[in-house]
Amino acid sequence: MNRTALIIGASRGLGLGIVERLTERGWQVTATVRNSMSVELLRQTGATVEILEMNDLAQIEALGLQMRKECFDLILVNAGVLGPVGDLRIAFDEQILGQLFLTNSLAPVVLAKTLAHQLRPGTGVLAFMSSRMGSVANPDGTDMALYKASKAALNSLVNSLVSAWEGPATTFLCLHPGWVKTDLGGDDGDIDVWTSTSGVVDQVMHHAGHGGLHFVDYAGEPVSW
Ligand SMILES: NC(=O)c1ccc[n+]([C@@H]2O[C@H](COP(=O)([O-])OP(=O)(O)OC[C@H]3O[C@@H](n4cnc5c(N)ncnc54)[C@H](OP(=O)(O)O)[C@@H]3O)[C@@H](O)[C@H]2O)c1
């Protein structure tokens, strides 16, 4: 049986890499992008491409309706942004601050809730691209304090989602992909996209069917909340 996945935010970086790793392993993948321009690499994977601006509730609900007959072994909300870096006062603007927390914290969880019944009962995995920067006691990365707070908020919202879950039996993952060389991670990242995304897919396979909520990195190491 072919496994199926829905990957949110796959135009580039880790999302594109995850689609490549899954399709290489024979998965049937539906992938979302905000803009259908310049997704040639994504189309080359054979994935079905859908449009989703994750910060638009109407688009989330439309995708939910469109997917209502699908059954996915994996739904992974990967999309995220770095947001403002440096002095906290730079984000003293409701729109800038709102965009960051909407994209990184709230929208992923609302989207996941909307798609809950599309997970394969028992073995389905609902995964979120978090970051070890979201560990509340992590002292690193003080210049990206808002990004860190947005990922901590994501982890908290996922925890609430799991506690109130009424969907099918599911395994939940908050994933740390490593510090990866992407547009967001920058050129100094520790690892490349292939290494990170191969590990992320391995972790999905490893945890499927076991249930529970786990915060792990691409190599399978637990990350502290
Ligand atoms: N790279 C790292 O070292 C690292 C470490 C820890 C965690 N992460 C997390 O991993 C995820 C992917 O990061 P990346 O390094 O691959 O970043 P990236 O190269 O900047 O890619 C970000 C992706 O998110 C999409 N996206 C952003 N806002 C969106 C929105 N509102 N609606 C739909 N799609 C949206 C982007 O689409 P567009 O192309 O349309 O902008 C793009 O596909 C993020 O959640 C990030 O926080 C990354």
Side-chain angles (χ1 to χ4, degrees), residues 156-202:
S156 174
L157 286 164
V158 170
N159 192 288
S160 296
L161 175 81
V162 173
S163 301
W165 186 251
E166 290 177 349
T170 300
T171 301
F172 301 90
L173 297 177
C174 284
L175 294 162
H176 171 57
W179 181 17
V180 194
K181 297 180 208 302
T182 63
D183 293 339
L184 189 152
D187 294 336
D188 292 336
D190 291 331
I191 54 173
D192 61 18
V193 168
W194 190 92
T195 304
S196 170
T197 54
S198 299
V200 163
V201 171
D202 286 345

Side-chain angles (χ1 to χ4, degrees), residues 114-224:
T114 304
L115 294 166
H117 288 280
Q118 271 46 73
L119 282 161
R120 193 177 303 286
T123 54
V125 175
L126 179 54
F128 298 86
M129 202 57 98
S130 183
S131 169
R132 65 179 283 276
M133 289 294 167
S135 297
V136 288
N138 181 350
D140 300 337
T142 50
D143 61 332
M144 52 172 97
L146 290 165
Y147 174 78
K148 294 177 68 176
S150 72
K151 291 295 187 179
L154 170 66
N155 290 349
S156 174
L157 286 164
V158 170
N159 192 288
S160 296
L161 175 81
V162 173
S163 301
W165 186 251
E166 290 177 349
T170 300
T171 301
F172 301 90
L173 297 177
C174 284
L175 294 162
H176 171 57
W179 181 17
V180 194
K181 297 180 208 302
T182 63
D183 293 339
L184 189 152
D187 294 336
D188 292 336
D190 291 331
I191 54 173
D192 61 18
V193 168
W194 190 92
T195 304
S196 170
T197 54
S198 299
V200 163
V201 171
D202 286 345
Q203 291 316 309
V204 168
M205 305 287 290
H206 176 73
H207 284 88
H210 294 290
L213 167 61
H214 311 273
F215 190 10
V216 290
D217 75 5
Y218 72 102
E221 291 299 320
V223 183
S224 134

Side-chain angles (χ1 to χ4, degrees), residues 8-16 32-35 52-56 77-82 99 102-104 107 128-133 147 151 154 175-186 189-191 193 196:
I8 305 296
S11 59
R12 56 196 166 96
L14 293 170
L16 174 60
T32 75
V33 298
R34 286 198 275 198
N35 183 335
L52 178 71
E53 164 52 68
M54 202 173 56
N55 293 352
D56 183 331
V77 189
N78 166 74
V81 291
L82 181 58
Q99 285 286 111
L102 187 55
T103 308
N104 284 4
F128 298 86
M129 202 57 98
S130 183
S131 169
R132 65 179 283 276
M133 289 294 167
Y147 174 78
K151 291 295 187 179
L154 170 66
L175 294 162
H176 171 57
W179 181 17
V180 194
K181 297 180 208 302
T182 63
D183 293 339
L184 189 152
D190 291 331
I191 54 173
V193 168
S196 170

Side-chain angles (χ1 to χ4, degrees), residues 39-93:
V39 288
E40 195 45 44
L41 285 175
L42 181 59
R43 291 199 192 282
Q44 282 172 20
T45 65
T48 301
V49 179
E50 303 290 350
I51 303 295
L52 178 71
E53 164 52 68
M54 202 173 56
N55 293 352
D56 183 331
L57 185 57
Q59 289 194 32
I60 289 180
E61 287 173 349
L63 184 75
L65 266 180
Q66 196 185 337
M67 296 292 135
R68 69 189 183 285
K69 294 200 174 133
E70 304 295 330
C71 181
F72 295 109
D73 296 283
L74 166 67
I75 297 176
L76 169 59
V77 189
N78 166 74
V81 291
L82 181 58
V85 172
D87 189 326
L88 289 180
R89 287 173 296 186
I90 199 173
F92 224 88
D93 174 303

